[in-house]
């Protein structure tokens, strides 16, 4: 199948390579010339503008956006829209807020353009392991794109599916990432407890390998932990600063709006905020209060 792919970052570039190897015809576009060059060497065509990409694609066109969420997506849609025809499809595979997706879907549907949202999970491993794809959009549009999804997925009949109308794919991926936050936090806390128990001389990397087989907590995330600990079990070279993509925040906000009790996801998000606060006024305030009411010692910087 023919596809236009915009955005050749780590995931976009890997997806492009997997699609080309799967026999699909690609037209790629990215600001980075070297990223475009890598894909053209594999057999992709390249375009430097939306107009050029649309000319190179036969109708009905399918164009997949793998770009940052928010304003860049709106700008890309505005840039492509004059060159699209009724029946064409725009695909958003980024971590977009589902409310933006619903809005864009309605606006594009009024112009006869399909808008398909694909919540995509798999990271840098997707090129070999395949991608998990949660898809929202019109039934017919999703069905027409199924050869693409079957190639990107771990297997043609596994790891992908239409989960609902426009916005459903990004909503499901948002919740997926919220769950991911909680799982990561639980693993991190458990390994921290073991690493702190010095008198038992625990080898946390060995324990991660034991847990990989037969354990209730065995998972791909645990496999990645084992790989990471093999390089440095003390993690001494890693700064304790953890970013968030925004989807954890959206999940917590949605839980509040829906009156859903979600303390694990909420606290895991708050832990990420805490990791970035080197000054931490809160902890300084706590130390000051203990000193004021109980005369407890304060450690000076």
């Amino acid at each position: 199948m023919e596809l236009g792919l915009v955005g050749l970052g780590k995931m976009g570039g890997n997806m492009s390579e997997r699609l080309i190897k799967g026999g699909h015809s690609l037209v790629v576009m990215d600001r980075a010339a070297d990223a475009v060059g890598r894909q053209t060497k594999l057999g992709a065509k390249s375009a430097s503008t939306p107009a050029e990409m649309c000319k190179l694609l036969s109708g009905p066109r399918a164009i997949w956006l793998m770009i940052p969420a928010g304003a860049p997506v709106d700008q890309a849609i505005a840039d492509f829209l004059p060159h699209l025809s009724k029946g064409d499809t725009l695909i958003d595979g980024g971590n977009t807020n589902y409310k933006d997706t619903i809005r864009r879907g309605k606006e594009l549907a009024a112009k006869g353009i399909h808008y398909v949202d694909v919540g995509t999970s798999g990271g840098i491993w997707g090129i070999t392991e395949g991608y998990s794809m949660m898809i929202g959009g019109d039934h017919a549009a999703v069905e027409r794109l199924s050869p693409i999804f079957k190639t990107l997925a771990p297997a043609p009949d596994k790891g992908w599916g239409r989960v609902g109308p426009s916005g459903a794919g990004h909503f499901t991926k948002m919740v997926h990432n919220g769950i991911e936050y909680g799982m990561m936090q639980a693993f991190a806390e458990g390994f921290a407890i073991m690493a702190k128990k010095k008198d038992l001389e625990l080898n946390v990397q060995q324990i991660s390998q034991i847990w990989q087989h037969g354990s209730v907590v065995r998972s791909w995330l645990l496999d990645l932990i084992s790989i990471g600990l093999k390089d440095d079990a003390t993690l001494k070279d890693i700064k304790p600063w953890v970013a968030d993509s925004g989807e954890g925040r959206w999940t917590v906000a949605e839980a509040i709006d829906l009156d859903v009790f979600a303390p694990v996801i909420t606290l895991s998000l708050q832990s990420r905020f805490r990791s970035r606060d080197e000054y931490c006024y809160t902890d300084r305030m706590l130390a000051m209060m203990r000193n004021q009411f109980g005369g407890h010692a304060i450690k000076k910087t």
Side-chain angles (χ1 to χ4, degrees), residues 187-188 190-192 194-195 202-212 221-236 238:
F187 271 123
F191 276 89
M194 291 189 291
L202 301 175
N203 182 328
V204 291
Q205 203 276 328
Q206 178 205 20
I207 293 167
S208 71
Q209 289 180 312
I210 292 171
W211 286 358
Q212 284 177 285
L221 191 54
L222 181 61
D223 294 342
L224 298 179
I225 289 171
S226 185
I227 293 171
L229 290 176
K230 189 178 295 183
D231 295 332
D232 179 12
T234 66
L235 307 183
K236 63 182 183 300
I238 299 177

Side-chain angles (χ1 to χ4, degrees), residues 84-105:
L84 297 176
S85 304
K86 286 186 178 181
D88 289 348
T89 301
L90 283 175
I91 308 159
D92 182 359
N95 285 331
T96 290
N97 189 303
Y98 80 98
K99 294 178 182 178
D100 288 337
T101 300
I102 292 173
R103 168 180 59 81
R104 293 168 184 147

Side-chain angles (χ1 to χ4, degrees), residues 2 9 60 261 263 278:
E2 197 174 49
F261 182 58
E278 293 183 359

Side-chain angles (χ1 to χ4, degrees), residues 11 19 36 47 56 61 76 109 122 124 128-130 140 206 224 227 240 263 280 285:
M11 185 176 284
L19 287 167
V36 173
L56 290 170
R61 305 176 186 89
I124 59 175
T128 55
E129 302 296 321
Q206 178 205 20
L224 298 179
I227 293 171
C280 197
M285 177 69 75

